[in-house]
Amino acid sequence: MYIQQAFKSLHEWWRYLVGFIIIFVASQIGTVPLIIAVLLKTVSEGGSIFSIQDQNVLMTVLDSNLTLFLMLLSFAIGLLGVYLVVKYLHNQPFVQLTTSRKKTDWGRVFFGFAVITITTLIATGIDYYSNPEDYVVQFNLVPFIILVAIAVVMIPLQTSFEEYLFRGYLMQGIGVLAKNRWLPLIITSVVFGALHLANPEVEKLGNIIMIYYIGTGFFLGIITLMDEGMELALGFHAGNNLISVLLVTADWTVFQSNSILKDVSEPSAGFDVIAPVLILYPIFLLIMAYRYKWKDWGGKLFGKVEEPIALAEENTQNSTYIE
């Protein structure tokens, strides 16, 4: 089983605490280039460094493509931190953090990617033709090509960092320590959603959008536990963010880009904010459950996590030998 993979590596509680701190520091180091670039640009134009404390102002200091790249760089550095922690602190093969299968199932990754990409394209197309006054076509070939190059490389790194940290590292770590599946599902989903509190979307739409963020965390956690691997979550998260960055932007979103469309409507926190959680995600779960023959929902989402007997005996023997 997926969480039990951690038993094959070094999994003492302090390793996860130290590992999380290292990963956090690595991701923060990744923000330094953006801060330096903004400061240099601001000072060179005679502006005040105090004016960039507001995130909305910060987003307009640099070219949007450069800003996007530098914002995503911190996630790439954070992903490197996850890899190094898993490899050297836990002595765990990275594939065991990815899946319970012998190797990563890329078919599952692409299926998760396709599900959300097709859905987003259809939904956006319907909304565009139903409410054309809400959109402005801002397609500009050269900036868009640059955006595509940046997004195709950096967005998967950003989403993979979040997946490997929450649905991977913390899911396994909390699971082997708590000896169950429901606690890591709840903690990782709530914390994942809570980290989006700083997003400008929350300020614009209100706290109701946290239902979407936390609900998305639960959805990604559920498909990880039911499928005994992160492949579907990796593909889904990457597809969601990539198509969003390339297709539609708005002045109040965290990622402002040279996308094809710009949403100029006044956003409101209506049913459409929580519709994905209440309608789309259950449909996606049914589709995935049918395709991959998921069974034993209760056991996989709420069951115990026990160390395999063979591993427990081996660890006991090793401990006795060392003493």
Side-chain angles (χ1 to χ4, degrees):
M1 293 184 179
Y2 177 66
I3 291 181
Q4 286 180 313
Q5 296 281 79
F7 283 116
K8 300 177 183 180
S9 60
L10 303 175
H11 56 275
E12 295 87 353
W13 68 268
W14 63 266
R15 293 182 186 274
Y16 286 98
L17 176 60
V18 173
F20 180 79
I21 293 174
I22 293 174
I23 294 168
F24 174 78
V25 171
S27 65
Q28 295 306 299
I29 291 174
T31 66
V32 173
L34 174 61
I35 296 173
I36 293 175
V38 171
L39 288 174
L40 291 176
K41 181 70 171 179
T42 303
V43 172
S44 67
E45 295 182 350
S48 170
I49 61 174
F50 298 104
S51 66
I52 65 173
Q53 292 179 345
D54 183 81
Q55 185 175 9
N56 292 327
V57 175
L58 183 148
M59 294 292 292
T60 62
V61 173
L62 302 174
D63 170 77
S64 62
N65 279 335
L66 178 58
T67 301
L68 179 65
F69 173 79
L70 293 175
M71 287 182 66
L72 296 176
L73 185 61
S74 65
F75 296 94
I77 301 300
L79 181 59
L80 177 61
V82 174
Y83 175 80
L84 295 176
V85 164
V86 169
K87 181 176 178 62
Y88 295 105
L89 184 60
H90 294 273
N91 195 28
Q92 181 182 31
F94 209 60
V95 67
Q96 290 181 6
L97 190 67
T98 307
T99 181
S100 60
R101 288 166 276 276
K102 292 183 179 180
K103 60 181 181 179
T104 301
D105 186 341
W106 289 101
R108 279 173 155 85
V109 175
F110 292 125
F111 182 77
F113 184 95
V115 165
I116 187 59
T117 298
I118 294 172
T119 302
T120 302
L121 287 173
I122 293 175
T124 303
I126 293 174
D127 192 50
Y128 176 76
Y129 284 105
S130 300
N131 306 286
E133 70 279 1
D134 290 344
Y135 295 92
V136 171
V137 178
Q138 61 168 18
F139 178 75
N140 193 332
L141 182 59
V142 174
F144 182 75
I145 291 176
I146 297 173
L147 171 63
V148 171
I150 293 173
V152 169
V153 174
M154 300 300 291
I155 289 292
L157 295 178
Q158 175 247 326
T159 56
S160 293
F161 166 66
E162 294 182 356
E163 290 308 306
Y164 275 107
L165 177 59
F166 289 100
R167 259 64 64 180
Y169 190 69
L170 294 179
M171 182 78 80
Q172 286 190 351
I174 297 172
V176 298
L177 296 176
K179 300 295 192 298
N180 63 54
R181 288 168 165 254
W182 61 268
L183 187 61
L185 174 61
I186 292 175
I187 292 178
T188 57
S189 300
V190 173
V191 174
F192 172 79
L195 288 180
H196 291 79
L197 271 170
N199 283 16
E201 291 93 334
V202 178
E203 179 180 353
K204 189 70 175 180
L205 298 174
N207 290 331
I208 189 174
I209 197 174
M210 294 306 297
I211 297 176
Y212 168 74
Y213 288 129
I214 295 176
T216 300
F218 272 102
F219 170 74
L220 294 170
I222 289 171
I223 64 177
T224 296
L225 291 178
M226 289 304 304
D227 202 48
E228 298 292 0
M230 283 174 31
E231 291 100 330
L232 289 172
L234 285 168
F236 186 95
H237 200 165
N240 180 75
N241 287 24
L242 181 61
I243 198 67
S244 298
V245 166
L246 296 178
L247 190 59
V248 183
T249 191
D251 291 335
W252 45 270
T253 58
V254 65
F255 289 148
Q256 297 176 32
S257 64
N258 292 296
S259 58
I260 297 174
L261 300 172
K262 183 174 183 178
D263 186 346
V264 295
S265 64
E266 183 61 27
S268 60
F271 180 72
D272 57 318
V273 173
I274 59 176
V277 177
L278 299 181
I279 300 176
L280 288 180
Y281 290 170
I283 294 174
F284 293 156
L285 285 175
L286 290 175
I287 293 173
M288 293 175 181
Y290 175 78
R291 180 179 176 85
Y292 296 110
K293 306 296 187 297
W294 292 346
K295 297 179 180 179
D296 189 22
W297 288 71
K300 289 190 174 183
L301 297 181
F302 305 104
K304 295 181 179 180
V305 174
E306 299 178 348
E307 184 174 4
I309 296 177
L311 283 175
E313 292 177 349
E314 181 181 346
N315 290 335
T316 301
Q317 292 174 356
N318 291 338
S319 176
T320 302
Y321 177 76
I322 292 175
E323 292 175 352

